[in-house]
């Protein structure tokens, strides 16, 4: 038995600079090294996992097991390519343009990279913990390398074409091979022995160490997992040529790994477009007090701010997808064509932990998000309402809502479930003026018909619970702004609703006025 994972690249790109190479050398680490994979899993635990789900000691055990054996790879067809652009670099009092090379592997979104630890059989909770970390892994390598990763059954791995050169090498029939050196962790016992030797040789085990010695000792942690956690700048600042516990392992891969193949290049252009991106909001640290996350009651403000940030980034990036122009229509909603029925982007704020504060924003477009649209969303670093309300943004995940192809971290999202019953998260504002026999319930059913959904039973709710408090529609901001003017709208009061369909329907479900910006959001019950 073995442990295997598969990785897909929805954007068709993989960016990673090899250890010891300058980013402008246009070199590429392929396949992703064991060291990089383990550091990515640790980063996911720090950013996206509640310690109640995976305790720190359980993470340490899992990383120790994975570090105890070298993985082997099944590499998909890929093309080593690059882009070139000029960046302003400050020299003296002026900015000077400098040519920058951005190297990456072009990989079809339909292809899979397989990693297998052939002698490692994870059981029970260890396997569940690894599966959880993989589901929440949003990128591998640089932040542009969006990935979908999950565990794979051992009997579905296929043949491997990139193996360690030692001890057994790669059995081939006259195949021409290249050698590539990948950083990998040493075994936990070997690291412990090496670390004790280094500490003793440098006389760091004595009492009364000076500041310089304490800084050096900090780069020699007792556990291997803590060495994997070390910041690279701190390691190099103490004079290490590599992380403590890192070794370079020769791997043999086919010599034609990066030879362009017609089928790979064509399928990369026709790959499945993701429909959904999830962003994380973080408060901006300010001394002495930090800025709290925005309230869910201000969802429409955050939805509008996220859309504005996405359009700004798309314009700044100058439309890398010629078919989309400068700002992709799927982000702005303009120029989608007369047959567009809410297929452009919804910007849906989310309170994932139930404390009444917006900590994520889900962007969903049924028409699919082009590479330039996803790139613009991933480039968002902050959103703000005014000088005193500004929040950092971190790219979380991208994928398709189709279970066969989507990022698994999105499958269980309450906005994206298939369900019969749905309840309001933010107030529903009817989009047309009320008339006789055309009230709130009639307008909801009309909207559902126009979107190809069955007509639901509609039940009014007086209030909902937000962060442990009862909230009515009046507590929510219910108005859109266009410039300095408030947009005209048929409904200014809003309603909370419970919708019951005759059959399960897929999310996300957002209806009514302002539904693309945070109003009228429903969550699956």
């Amino acid at each position: 038995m073995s442990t295997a994972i598969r990785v897909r690249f929805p954007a068709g790109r993989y960016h990673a600079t090899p250890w010891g190479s300058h980013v402008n050398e246009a070199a590429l680490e392929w396949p992703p090294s064991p060291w990089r994979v383990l550091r990515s899993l640790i980063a996911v635990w720090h950013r996206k996992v509640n310690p109640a789900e995976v305790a720190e000691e359980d993470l340490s055990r899992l990383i120790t097991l994975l570090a105890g054996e070298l993985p082997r790879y099944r590499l998909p067809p890929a093309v080593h390519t690059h882009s070139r652009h000029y960046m302003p670099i400050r020299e003296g009092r002026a900015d000077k343009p400098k040519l920058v090379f951005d190297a990456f592997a072009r990989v079809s979104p339909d292809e899979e990279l397989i990693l297998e630890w052939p002698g490692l059989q994870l059981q029970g909770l260890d396997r569940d913990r690894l599966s959880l970390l993989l589901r929440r892994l949003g990128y591998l390598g640089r932040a542009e390398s969006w990935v979908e990763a999950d565990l794979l059954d051992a009997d579905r791995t296929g043949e491997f074409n990139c193996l360690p050169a030692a001890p057994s090498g790669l059995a081939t029939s006259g195949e021409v091979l290249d050698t590539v050196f990948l950083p990998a962790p040493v075994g936990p016992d070997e690291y412990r022995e090496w670390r004790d030797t280094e500490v003793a040789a440098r006389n760091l085990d004595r009492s009364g160490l000076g500041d310089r010695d304490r800084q050096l000792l900090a780069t020699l942690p007792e556990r291997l997992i803590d060495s994997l956690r070390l910041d690279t700048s701190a390691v190099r600042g103490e004079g290490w040529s590599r992380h403590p516990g890192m070794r370079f392992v020769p791997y043999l891969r086919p010599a034609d790994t990066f030879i362009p193949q017609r089928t790979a290049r064509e399928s990369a252009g026709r790959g499945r477009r993701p429909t959904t991106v999830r962003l994380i909001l973080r408060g901006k640290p300010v001394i002495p007090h930090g800025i709290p996350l925005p309230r869910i009651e201000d969802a429409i403000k955050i939805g509008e701010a996220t859309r504005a940030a996405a359009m700004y980034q798309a314009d700044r990036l100058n439309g890398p997808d010629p078919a989309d122009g400068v700002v992709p229509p799927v982000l702005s909603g303009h120029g989608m064509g007369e047959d567009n029925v809410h297929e452009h982007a919804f910007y849906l704020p989310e309170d994932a932990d139930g404390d009444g504060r917006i900590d994520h924003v889900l962007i969903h477009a049924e028409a699919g998000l082009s590479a330039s649209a996803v790139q613009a969303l991933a480039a968002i670093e902050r959103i703000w309402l005014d000088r005193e309300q500004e929040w950092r943004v971190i790219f979380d995940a991208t994928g398709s809502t189709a279970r066969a192809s989507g990022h698994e971290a999105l499958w269980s999202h309450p906005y994206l479930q298939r369900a019969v019953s749905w309840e309001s998260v933010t107030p529903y504002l009817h989009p047309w003026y009320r008339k006789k026999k055309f009230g709130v319930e009639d307008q909801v059913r009309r909207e559902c018909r126009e979107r190809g959904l069955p007509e639901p039973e509609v039940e009014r709710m007086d209030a909902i619970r937000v962060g442990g408090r009862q909230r009515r529609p009046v507590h929510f901001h219910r108005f859109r702004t266009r410039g300095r003017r408030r947009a005209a709208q048929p409904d200014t009061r809003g309603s909370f609703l419970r919708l019951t369909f005759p059959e399960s329907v897929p999310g996300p479900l957002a209806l009514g006025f302002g539904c693309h910006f945070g109003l009228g959001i429903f969550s699956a019950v």
Side-chain angles (χ1 to χ4, degrees):
M1 296 296 292
S2 63
T3 297
I5 64 176
R6 63 178 170 185
V7 181
R8 295 191 185 96
F9 301 90
R13 290 186 171 202
Y14 169 73
H15 301 250
T17 303
W19 180 272
S21 298
H22 189 275
V23 66
N24 230 24
E25 294 179 28
L28 177 69
E29 180 187 88
W30 183 254
S33 67
W35 186 272
R36 186 182 300 275
V37 172
L38 296 188
R39 276 173 64 93
S40 297
L41 294 176
I42 296 171
V44 169
W45 183 84
H46 279 283
R47 284 193 168 185
K48 301 181 181 180
V49 177
N50 189 317
E53 296 175 293
V54 179
E56 202 275 343
E57 58 268 23
D58 296 327
L59 174 72
S60 178
R61 167 183 162 80
L62 178 61
I63 296 300
T64 299
L65 291 172
L66 294 173
E69 183 176 352
L70 292 171
R72 56 184 182 177
Y73 300 82
R74 179 162 68 83
L75 304 181
V79 177
H80 184 181
T81 184
H82 71 276
S83 62
R84 308 182 188 189
H85 56 278
Y86 285 90
M87 291 185 64
I89 304 297
R90 174 67 65 174
E91 293 184 5
R93 297 183 178 180
D95 289 337
K96 299 291 183 66
K98 184 175 181 179
L99 181 62
V100 175
F101 292 82
D102 182 13
F104 57 91
R106 171 67 70 181
V107 187
S108 168
D110 297 322
E111 295 284 355
E112 298 175 346
L113 169 71
I114 307 296
L115 293 84
E116 184 193 52
W117 288 261
L120 176 61
Q121 183 179 1
L122 295 179
Q123 300 286 354
L125 292 177
D126 286 330
R127 186 173 178 86
D128 293 341
R129 290 162 187 148
L130 178 58
S131 179
L132 174 66
L133 294 173
L134 292 172
R135 291 197 305 270
R136 298 185 184 178
L137 182 65
Y139 63 89
L140 183 63
R142 290 230 310 264
E144 303 96 315
S145 303
W146 312 310
V147 298
E148 300 168 354
D150 56 9
L151 277 174
L152 189 64
D153 294 335
D155 58 351
R156 297 177 56 192
T157 56
E159 296 184 359
F160 294 88
N161 55 4
C162 183
L163 280 74
S168 58
L170 182 63
T172 61
S173 301
E175 184 179 4
V176 180
L177 303 174
D178 281 341
T179 302
V180 57
F181 289 86
L182 300 179
V186 300
D189 294 336
E190 182 181 349
Y191 171 76
R192 192 178 303 110
E193 181 180 348
W194 174 86
R195 187 258 182 194
D196 291 343
T197 302
E198 284 291 322
V199 169
R202 297 171 185 269
N203 199 22
L204 299 176
D205 50 358
R206 71 183 191 278
S207 60
L209 293 177
D211 291 341
R212 183 70 181 85
D213 287 337
R214 282 198 297 270
Q215 292 175 4
L216 180 59
L217 184 61
T219 62
L220 287 167
E222 295 184 4
R223 301 184 305 170
L224 178 61
I225 187 175
D226 295 324
S227 179
L228 282 157
R229 284 184 170 124
L230 289 175
D231 187 82
T232 300
S233 61
V235 172
R236 287 181 167 162
E238 293 304 317
W240 297 104
S241 62
R242 65 181 72 172
H243 277 251
M246 176 189 286
R247 57 174 169 159
F248 287 89
V249 179
Y251 272 77
L252 298 176
R253 70 184 185 192
D256 61 353
T257 295
F258 288 127
I259 293 180
Q261 300 181 26
R262 182 180 181 85
T263 55
R265 294 174 66 182
E266 291 180 348
S267 63
R270 297 196 302 266
R272 180 173 51 241
R273 281 190 172 187
T275 59
T276 310
V277 164
R278 193 180 189 220
L279 305 177
I280 301 172
L281 262 60
R282 289 287 183 264
K284 183 179 179 182
V286 176
I287 305 299
H289 303 292
I291 297 176
L293 290 172
R295 305 178 310 150
I296 191 66
E297 290 92 332
D298 293 324
I300 189 169
K301 295 182 179 181
I302 299 305
E304 289 185 318
T306 305
R307 175 179 179 266
M311 294 176 65
Y312 169 79
Q313 292 296 341
D315 186 57
R316 182 183 67 83
L317 295 170
N318 198 26
D321 186 346
D324 283 337
V326 175
V327 177
V330 72
L331 294 181
S332 66
H334 303 306
M336 288 288 291
E338 296 181 359
D339 57 346
N340 171 44
V341 182
H342 295 282
E343 293 185 338
H344 56 292
F346 287 80
Y347 299 86
L348 308 177
E350 172 196 356
D351 171 19
D353 56 10
D355 65 350
R357 298 282 177 175
I358 298 171
D359 43 38
H360 292 78
V361 179
L362 194 78
I363 299 95
H364 176 85
E366 199 61 36
L369 295 165
S370 65
S372 59
V374 178
Q375 186 179 21
L377 293 169
I380 300 175
E381 296 182 349
R382 62 191 181 102
I383 61 171
W384 65 92
L385 301 181
D386 54 44
R387 290 183 178 180
E388 297 182 354
Q389 298 184 85
E390 177 182 322
W391 301 276
R392 293 188 298 116
V393 177
I394 302 170
F395 184 87
D396 183 19
T398 183
S400 168
T401 51
R403 286 181 177 267
S405 60
H407 192 294
E408 193 169 342
L410 301 174
W411 295 352
S412 59
H413 195 288
Y415 291 176
L416 300 177
Q417 292 291 295
R418 292 188 66 95
V420 172
S421 297
W422 297 78
E423 291 185 355
S424 289
V425 175
T426 57
Y428 168 82
L429 275 66
H430 55 77
W432 300 286
Y433 287 98
R434 297 180 65 172
K435 301 177 183 178
K436 187 177 181 180
K437 296 184 179 180
F438 193 52
V440 172
E441 294 83 355
D442 303 298
Q443 295 200 26
V444 170
R445 296 188 183 102
R446 174 177 169 179
E447 276 197 87
C448 291
R449 287 198 306 271
E450 291 182 353
R451 299 196 193 186
L453 299 174
E455 295 185 11
E457 293 294 327
V458 183
E459 178 185 350
R460 298 281 190 110
M461 302 168 61
D462 292 333
I464 62 174
R465 294 192 68 82
V466 174
R469 296 181 298 170
Q470 292 282 344
R471 309 302 280 171
R472 297 179 181 274
V474 70
H475 293 119
F476 286 74
H477 189 85
R478 305 177 307 284
F479 306 96
R480 281 205 62 200
T481 54
R482 292 178 179 172
R484 296 185 177 180
R485 296 186 305 166
R486 180 179 294 176
Q489 57 190 79
D491 183 8
T492 60
R493 298 180 62 182
S495 309
F496 291 138
L497 307 174
R498 179 182 293 111
L499 307 182
T500 304
F501 292 88
E503 60 189 52
S504 64
V505 299
L509 186 62
L511 303 172
F513 174 86
C515 63
H516 283 268
F517 307 97
L519 290 177
I521 301 175
F522 291 83
S523 181
V525 180

